[in-house]
Amino acid sequence: MALKTGDEYIQSLKELDLKAHVMGQAAGGLTSHALVEPSMRAVAQTYDCAHDPQSKDLFRVISPLCNEEVNRFTHLHQSAQDLVNKVRMQRHCGNLTGCCFQRCVGMDAANAVYSSTFDIDAATGSAYHQRFKEYWAWVQKNDLVVDGAMTDPKGDRGKRPKDQTDPDMYLRIKERRQDGVIISGAKLHQTGMLNSHEILIMPTISLRPGEEAWAVCCAVPTTAPGVRYIYGRQTSDTRKLESCRLDVGNPKFGGQEVLTVFEDVLVPWERVFMAGETAFSGTLVERFASYHRQSYGGCKVGVGDLLIGAAALAAQMNGVAAASHIREKLVEMIHLNETLYSCGLACSAMGQPTASGNYLVDMLLANVCKLNVTRFPYELARLATDIGGGLLGTMPAAADLEDPVAGPYIRKYLKAADGVAVEDRFKVLRFIENLVAGAGSVAYLIESMHGAGPPTAQRIMIGRQGDLEGKMQKVKSLLDLA
Ligand code: SF4
């Protein structure tokens, strides 16, 4: 099947006709909903890039799974170069959209499930891997968006899943039947869920014997009966409902997070890829997390490029582009951003094949990448705020620009360097505001902190993978210690 264009993808979503609760109302027609549409357009870019002569070589790849050319967003990485190309592709998408383009989670989930099901089968004689291969070949051939669903609500964090007052705090198998399993629970913070065709569900933590009900990995369509969606709010999101687009900040694109409820959803056995194998839940979680921690070394860098560019434009518009302190700050921003990219590339270049044949990132370096992502975008945002100036927080509404009384005052007093249109200054400052304090900050800052796990999760992995013992041995050997 030919790779979809962005328009064909949007048409496919229209045919799904998903419903959600949005801002206190049951809403349909989501593909043209003012709060949802920008996020759908961001995903559509991942399709259009596979047709753009400038980028299609990067976005298209032959999949050995279905022996066809597929969009790299559905690819199972076959080499370290594939992993590198994934990060390059994500930076490119960040450059085009200035937001989260949502499609990476399914790609990362698929790569983790592919190798994990192989390992389960090898150890237990199950048949999950072949099932998953058939499922994913179908996803590739139909060029679908798959939401990788991991984060459970978790209830009381001090208790294990089986000790929770409400067992649905971790998504679970409620019933095993001849025709499949019934699942019950929820997944929080689901990136791009309403822009997806399928949901690939994974456990959220490493599970122990006795917790088999929560060790579940499976796939359901987003249209499955019993799945409900509640749309997440973002800072300043109602600006998208205003007729004047100038205050939105990012006028074309946006991200999307959704609370997704699974109320007694039937999953047929051919879509079940783990059902009780607690010993492999930790492996699956770690692999998915590592892939997604690598992803941030591409997407956040792409958005960071735009933030740096906007800060440089703001300085230029203020007439201070040549000031040494501005140059220093911009260089620092570039340094921070390229450090993140270096981490994304490094964990990719050092990737190794799994027993199943697809490639896994270097997990230590992927965690170093993400730990830096929990900090550097905040520093980039601080520097952009510094360069942008106080107007970032006090600028009048763009609608007042057209007001016959207020408009002339705004044009007179918000004029900066000669030759700079006040509207252009508004656009640049609103774009910076969007990323450091507005709707875009959900993905650029809060998600940088918590997406793919908070900093503590990376520190734990770095502690495990960092080979402290080996480092001590090297010193003993060098110094001839006993
Ligand atoms: Fe992709 Fe980045 Fe969004 Fe994750 S946060 S889905 S890696 S764009």
Side-chain angles (χ1 to χ4, degrees):
M1 191 174 284
L3 294 179
K4 286 192 181 82
T5 63
D7 284 344
E8 288 165 346
Y9 157 69
I10 290 169
Q11 182 56 36
S12 72
L13 283 189
K14 284 184 179 156
E15 286 160 18
L16 288 184
D17 193 25
L18 297 176
K19 311 275 189 292
H21 286 264
V22 184
M23 300 269 292
Q25 290 183 332
L30 297 176
T31 53
S32 53
H33 193 295
L35 292 180
V36 183
E37 191 189 4
S39 67
M40 178 194 68
R41 279 202 296 260
V43 182
Q45 287 292 304
T46 70
Y47 285 90
D48 281 336
C49 283
H51 296 273
D52 182 341
Q54 300 293 323
S55 55
K56 70 179 195 175
D57 288 347
L58 182 59
F59 280 66
R60 289 176 178 232
V61 60
I62 301 289
S63 166
L65 194 63
C66 65
N67 296 315
E68 287 182 20
E69 195 171 43
V70 300
N71 189 305
R72 190 178 290 283
F73 274 98
T74 67
H75 189 45
L76 300 168
H77 316 299
Q78 299 299 305
S79 63
Q81 187 59 46
D82 267 349
L83 291 166
V84 168
N85 286 342
K86 171 195 164 189
V87 172
R88 291 175 56 220
M89 172 178 78
Q90 288 166 313
R91 185 172 189 170
H92 183 74
C93 287
N95 283 173
L96 291 180
T97 62
C99 68
C100 167
F101 37 89
Q102 307 147 56
R103 203 175 173 189
C104 329
V105 201
M107 164 178 57
D108 292 341
N111 275 279
V113 173
Y114 185 82
S115 60
S116 299
T117 50
F118 183 92
D119 293 350
I120 300 174
D121 288 1
T124 70
S126 55
Y128 295 126
H129 189 62
Q130 184 57 32
R131 250 184 224 172
F132 183 73
K133 281 168 68 175
E134 285 166 16
Y135 168 64
W136 201 255
W138 171 77
V139 167
Q140 289 185 330
K141 285 184 176 181
N142 289 281
D143 203 6
L144 301 179
V145 177
V146 178
D147 175 284
M150 177 165 277
T151 311
D152 290 320
K154 297 196 282 286
D156 183 337
R157 271 63 170 171
K159 292 180 177 173
R160 298 292 304 175
K162 66 181 170 43
D163 299 324
Q164 298 285 331
T165 308
D166 181 346
D168 287 347
M169 287 298 120
Y170 289 78
L171 188 140
R172 66 188 169 119
I173 297 174
K174 193 173 175 184
E175 190 186 341
R176 287 172 182 256
R177 299 193 336 198
Q178 197 124 34
D179 53 347
V181 296
I182 301 290
I183 58 171
S184 179
K187 293 289 183 183
L188 302 189
H189 329 306
Q190 289 310 295
T191 299
M193 176 63 89
L194 292 165
N195 296 324
S196 302
H197 307 95
E198 288 277 313
I199 310 170
L200 181 51
I201 294 165
M202 298 164 284
T204 210
I205 55 168
S206 179
L207 295 155
R208 300 171 185 166
E211 297 175 334
E212 285 75 13
W214 293 273
V216 56
C217 173
C218 60
V220 294
T222 45
T223 51
V227 185
R228 297 181 193 284
Y229 305 106
I230 304 163
Y231 205 62
R233 288 215 69 172
Q234 296 176 337
T235 320
S236 309
D237 51 5
T238 47
R239 290 189 189 185
K240 292 175 185 158
L241 304 174
E242 296 170 5
S243 55
C244 179
R245 303 295 297 164
L246 225 160
D247 280 344
V248 175
N250 185 339
K252 296 180 185 161
F253 303 110
Q256 177 190 109
E257 311 292 334
V258 180
L259 162 56
T260 305
V261 177
F262 299 83
E263 198 175 352
D264 294 340
V265 176
L266 171 65
V267 188
W269 283 111
E270 62 265 27
R271 291 287 188 262
V272 177
F273 313 120
M274 173 192 280
E277 290 80 4
T278 52
F280 296 89
S281 55
T283 307
L284 176 53
V285 171
E286 278 182 4
R287 287 179 187 172
F288 168 74
S290 296
Y291 281 122
H292 210 57
R293 289 167 191 172
Q294 168 213 23
S295 285
Y296 282 21
C299 79
K300 303 300 177 201
V301 178
V303 177
D305 285 331
L306 298 181
L307 185 59
I308 295 166
L313 281 169
Q316 202 176 62
M317 289 173 168
N318 280 345
V320 294
S324 61
H325 69 100
I326 295 289
R327 298 294 308 165
E328 268 170 36
K329 286 164 191 162
L330 289 170
V331 167
E332 177 63 7
M333 291 175 82
I334 293 168
H335 166 245
L336 290 167
N337 208 39
E338 297 303 333
T339 303
L340 296 181
Y341 192 47
S342 306
C343 290
L345 293 179
C347 69
S348 305
M350 297 299 286
Q352 293 289 328
T354 64
S356 67
N358 73 338
Y359 270 62
L360 177 63
V361 291
D362 181 292
M363 290 167 89
L364 172 61
L365 297 181
N367 278 278
V368 170
C369 177
K370 173 65 201 334
L371 191 57
N372 283 334
V373 170
T374 65
R375 292 200 299 236
F376 293 2
Y378 284 86
E379 183 61 11
L380 279 149
R382 191 183 76 78
L383 290 163
T385 305
D386 182 352
I387 294 170
L391 204 52
L392 277 174
T394 64
M395 205 157 60
D400 284 330
L401 267 175
E402 307 310 325
D403 184 87
V405 177
Y409 291 122
I410 295 173
R411 289 177 193 284
K412 176 178 166 73
Y413 289 111
L414 293 197
K415 182 184 172 303
D418 283 343
V420 176
V422 171
E423 279 87 353
D424 285 351
R425 198 170 175 221
F426 260 71
K427 284 181 186 172
V428 169
L429 292 180
R430 286 292 183 220
F431 181 71
I432 295 174
E433 181 200 35
N434 172 273
L435 287 175
V436 305
S441 69
V442 172
Y444 190 59
L445 298 179
I446 298 173
E447 194 173 82
S448 287
M449 181 68 75
H450 288 289
T456 303
Q458 286 103 64
R459 287 184 193 283
I460 289 169
M461 285 292 287
I462 289 169
R464 270 195 219 143
Q465 306 263 332
D467 190 22
L468 208 49
E469 192 58 40
K471 289 173 175 38
M472 290 193 292
Q473 282 302 333
K474 288 182 178 74
V475 176
K476 284 183 183 173
S477 163
L478 180 68
L479 303 182
D480 292 329
L481 302 185

